[in-house]
């Protein structure tokens, strides 16, 4: 992903398909982070297993991962789904 960002920062045009996959990978990473945070919370509340994760750190991890998950989902929606539907509507209007 850093290589991708380096290329775009240098002004190199990256194919849209690659950009879309980078967004999917990052969104998946954030979803996994939220799921791990939930699992750790469940372990802390429902088992006697020793877990060195503090509640403050767990809360911050959940907040950060959830926030980034929402932001990446919004970016994906507005860039790859909404943009496509707007484009297809304008194509329909041109045909009329």
């Amino acid at each position: 992903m850093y290589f991708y960002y380096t290329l775009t920062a240098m002004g190199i045009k990256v194919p849209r398909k690659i950009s879309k996959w980078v967004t999917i990978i990052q969104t998946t990473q954030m979803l996994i982070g939220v799921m791990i945070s939930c699992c750790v919370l469940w372990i802390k509340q429902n088992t006697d297993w020793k877990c060195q994760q503090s509640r403050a750190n767990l809360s911050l991890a959940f907040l950060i991962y959830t926030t980034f998950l929402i932001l990446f989902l919004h970016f994906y929606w507005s860039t790859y789904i909404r943009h496509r539907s707007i484009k297809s509507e304008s194509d329909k209007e041109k045909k009329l």
Side-chain angles (χ1 to χ4, degrees):
M1 285 182 231
Y2 294 112
F3 182 67
Y4 164 78
Y5 289 122
T6 302
L7 292 176
T8 57
M10 292 171 44
I12 298 172
K13 197 89 164 145
V14 179
R16 188 168 174 88
K17 190 178 241 184
I18 293 175
S19 300
K20 187 176 182 177
W21 276 104
V22 168
T23 305
I24 289 169
I25 291 167
Q26 289 180 308
T27 304
T28 303
Q29 177 186 359
M30 298 308 134
L31 180 61
I32 291 169
V34 169
M35 290 174 11
I36 289 172
S37 298
C38 290
C39 288
V40 171
L41 178 63
W42 186 88
I43 288 169
K44 287 185 76 66
Q45 290 180 339
N46 298 306
T47 69
D48 293 332
W49 298 351
K50 292 188 178 188
C51 182
Q52 296 179 3
Q53 180 81 347
S54 70
R55 291 208 186 264
N57 192 18
L58 182 60
S59 298
L60 287 174
F62 183 78
L63 177 68
I64 290 168
Y65 281 119
T66 302
T67 301
F68 278 116
L69 177 62
I70 292 167
L71 290 172
F72 278 114
L73 287 170
H74 180 265
F75 176 78
Y76 188 88
W77 170 260
S78 62
T79 304
Y80 301 113
I81 296 174
R82 183 172 163 257
H83 178 74
R84 183 175 46 181
S85 66
I86 291 171
K87 186 177 177 182
S88 66
E89 285 177 15
S90 67
D91 289 344
K92 287 178 185 177
E93 289 175 5
K94 287 179 185 177
K95 289 179 182 178
L96 296 176

